[in-house]
């Protein structure tokens, strides 16, 4: 499973305990997540942002978009949010910075398309 697959699986995880475990495995303890709607630090806050997104878009899932690129300790990729197997209602672009141990140190997220 690629980093993007693991990242999106974390965003799709609906069980709070499993999501907390996935966040802890994926992010450093002082990891950050920043997008136009959130700017948080730490595992609990990141898990809460994910839970909030799931509450805003119940039943929708994140899937990889068309773009993936990486070099050194950074990666960028696009994602889609929509019904399983359906057209996306939201799309975005995330850039990740990785720590030496391969976990995420920071995420900078951009929202390209939101539901109207």
């Amino acid at each position: 499973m690629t980093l993007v697959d693991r990242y999106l699986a974390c965003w799709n995880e609906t069980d709070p305990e499993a999501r907390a475990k996935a966040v802890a495995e994926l992010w450093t303890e002082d990891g950050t997540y920043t997008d136009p709607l959130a700017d948080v630090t730490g595992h609990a806050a990141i898990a809460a942002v994910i839970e909030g997104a799931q509450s805003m878009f119940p039943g929708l899932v994140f899937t990889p978009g068309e773009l993936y690129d990486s070099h050194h300790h950074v990666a960028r990729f696009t994602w889609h949010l929509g019904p399983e197997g359906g057209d996306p209602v939201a799309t975005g672009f995330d850039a990740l910075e990785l720590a030496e141990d391969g976990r995420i140190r920071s995420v900078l997220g951009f929202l390209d398309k939101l539901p109207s």
Side-chain angles (χ1 to χ4, degrees), residues 3-26:
L3 176 64
V4 173
D5 293 333
R6 291 175 54 220
Y7 177 81
L8 294 176
C10 190
W11 280 86
N12 289 329
E13 180 55 65
T14 57
D15 177 80
E17 287 183 25
R19 183 175 47 246
K21 182 180 181 206
V23 167
E25 290 173 355
L26 205 52

Side-chain angles (χ1 to χ4, degrees), residues 28-108:
T28 60
E29 289 77 9
D30 61 347
T32 62
Y33 177 83
T34 304
D35 72 13
L37 307 174
D39 186 9
V40 298
T41 301
H43 293 165
I46 292 166
V49 167
I50 294 170
E51 183 177 8
Q54 291 175 356
S55 296
M56 288 174 55
F57 304 105
L60 301 184
V61 294
F62 287 92
T63 56
E66 300 76 31
L67 173 73
Y68 175 80
D69 190 20
S70 67
H71 63 81
H72 296 88
H73 60 279
V74 295
R76 64 181 179 148
F77 62 93
T78 54
W79 51 263
H80 299 156
L81 176 65
E84 186 79 43
D87 291 333
V89 299
T91 60
F93 177 100
D94 286 1
L96 312 178
E97 178 187 12
L98 302 177
E100 293 299 320
D101 65 3
R103 291 188 297 162
I104 297 170
R105 180 184 317 271
S106 69
V107 175
L108 300 175

